[in-house]
């Protein structure tokens, strides 16, 4: 039987956890060939190239996508609260309670950091960046961190925290895979806010509870 996307995806997750970059790269290359329109794999491969210093490979992959007219699918987190559907995209601006949500996000990030959270900007590659120096690097770093902190699932959790009673579990549906940074942030959030946070992403369910996730960090 030939392995499908789910099997290769799980193995890939394990490669990431155990930092087996070469095998991981090979798997992503296969996935990109098998599913040329699933941009998640392209983005992952381009990030892997960038992380291992193969910047020109990363750039040429991005160029390739652009030339083929393939756009990255935006990540959307969806919640059903008080009889209404609420949707969030990364850096969301249009939700009616967006100001309160960002205020909550500031508070949450501060509390997460106090509890040991360190934003993992290595999973966030911003295109157009390069090997600049000095101020550029600092700016790029800040930009990466800002983009990372406003991922759709973090915004959805903040909305859930301000619009439901203490202790209510939060259920979120995400159209793409949850990223590593959101995964570690939400583990901590489940503990400091004593909330169960359940996220159904493209691959599986994650039930965050008391600082741990039901996937045991394999996803
Ligand atoms: Zn994320
Ligand atoms: Zn998980």
């Amino acid at each position: 039987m030939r392995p499908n996307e789910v099997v290769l995806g799980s193995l890939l997750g394990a490669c990431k956890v155990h930092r087996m970059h070469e095998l991981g790269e090979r798997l992503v290359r296969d996935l990109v060939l098998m599913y040329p329109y699933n941009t998640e794999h392209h983005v992952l491969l381009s990030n892997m190239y960038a992380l291992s210093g193969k910047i020109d490979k990363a750039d040429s992959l991005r160029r390739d996508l652009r030339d083929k007219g393939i756009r990255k699918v935006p990540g959307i987190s969806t919640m059903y609260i008080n009889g209404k559907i609420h949707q969030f995209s990364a850096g969301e601006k249009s939700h009616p309670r967006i100001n309160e949500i960002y205020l909550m996000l500031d508070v949450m990030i501060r509390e997460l950091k106090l509890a040991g959270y360190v934003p993992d900007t290595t999973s966030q590659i911003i295109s157009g960046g390069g090997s600049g120096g000095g101020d550029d690097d600092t700016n790029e770093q800040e930009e990466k961190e800002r983009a990372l902190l406003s991922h759709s699932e973090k915004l959805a959790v903040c909305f859930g925290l301000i619009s439901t009673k203490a202790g209510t579990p939060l259920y979120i549906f995400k159209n793409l895979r949850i990223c590593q940074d959101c995964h570690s942030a939400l583990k901590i959030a489940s503990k400091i806010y004593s909330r169960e946070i359940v996220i159904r992403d493209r691959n599986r369910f994650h039930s965050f509870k008391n600082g741990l996730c039901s996937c045991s960090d394999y996803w």
Side-chain angles (χ1 to χ4, degrees):
M1 191 168 76
R2 289 176 62 81
N4 62 12
E5 194 181 4
V6 175
V7 172
L8 291 179
S10 313
L11 188 53
L12 179 63
C15 287
K16 266 194 102 175
V17 171
H18 295 283
R19 302 187 189 283
M20 298 190 53
H21 295 309
E22 265 165 47
L23 180 56
E25 232 180 80
R26 208 182 83 197
L27 291 172
V28 190
R29 245 183 285 133
D30 287 351
L31 282 164
V32 166
L33 288 176
M34 282 163 71
Y35 305 93
Y37 289 95
N38 184 336
T39 51
E40 274 183 82
H41 302 138
H42 289 81
V43 172
L44 210 57
L45 183 57
S46 136
N47 286 356
M48 280 176 139
Y49 282 147
L51 280 179
S52 49
K54 299 171 188 163
I55 301 291
D56 39 324
K57 276 193 165 181
D59 283 346
S60 92
L61 192 69
R62 265 199 297 266
R63 229 173 299 128
D64 192 41
L65 272 183
R66 205 179 43 220
D67 293 348
K68 287 186 187 145
I70 303 175
R71 290 262 187 97
K72 189 175 175 291
V73 180
I76 307 272
S77 289
T78 307
M79 277 180 117
Y80 184 75
I81 288 185
N82 299 331
K84 269 186 85 177
I85 304 263
H86 298 267
Q87 287 197 313
F88 302 91
S89 55
E92 177 68 43
K93 291 189 181 75
S94 59
H95 190 277
R97 295 183 66 186
I98 200 64
N99 293 336
E100 291 163 81
I101 294 171
Y102 278 110
L103 285 177
M104 183 64 220
L105 182 67
D106 280 347
V107 174
M108 180 174 89
I109 298 298
R110 221 174 306 132
E111 292 182 329
L112 288 177
K113 284 183 173 169
L114 284 175
Y117 163 67
V118 180
D120 174 17
T121 46
T122 58
S123 56
Q124 181 88 13
I125 307 289
I126 288 196
S127 55
S131 47
D135 278 355
D136 277 355
D137 270 357
T138 326
N139 285 338
E140 199 188 324
Q141 192 61 27
E142 277 173 14
E143 197 187 329
K144 275 186 193 175
E145 187 168 317
R146 224 184 355 259
L148 190 67
L149 297 181
S150 61
H151 276 183
S152 65
E153 44 278 68
K154 294 193 182 84
L155 297 176
V157 166
C158 289
F159 174 64
L161 288 174
I162 59 173
S163 51
T164 58
K165 277 197 235 114
T168 314
L170 303 176
Y171 298 100
I172 297 166
F173 174 81
K174 167 94 194 275
N175 63 334
L176 305 176
R177 254 169 77 139
I178 181 172
C179 82
Q180 197 139 21
D181 183 75
C182 286
H183 197 268
S184 27
L186 298 187
K187 276 198 290 189
I188 305 176
S190 73
K191 185 167 186 167
I192 56 181
Y193 296 111
S194 305
R195 296 270 194 145
E196 184 181 1
I197 302 169
V198 180
I199 298 197
R200 172 68 170 108
D201 73 0
R202 232 176 76 91
N203 284 40
R204 59 175 297 152
F205 277 99
H206 297 269
S207 166
F208 300 94
K209 208 172 171 179
N210 208 11
L212 298 171
C213 181
S214 58
C215 76
S216 307
D217 299 340
Y218 285 86
W219 82 93

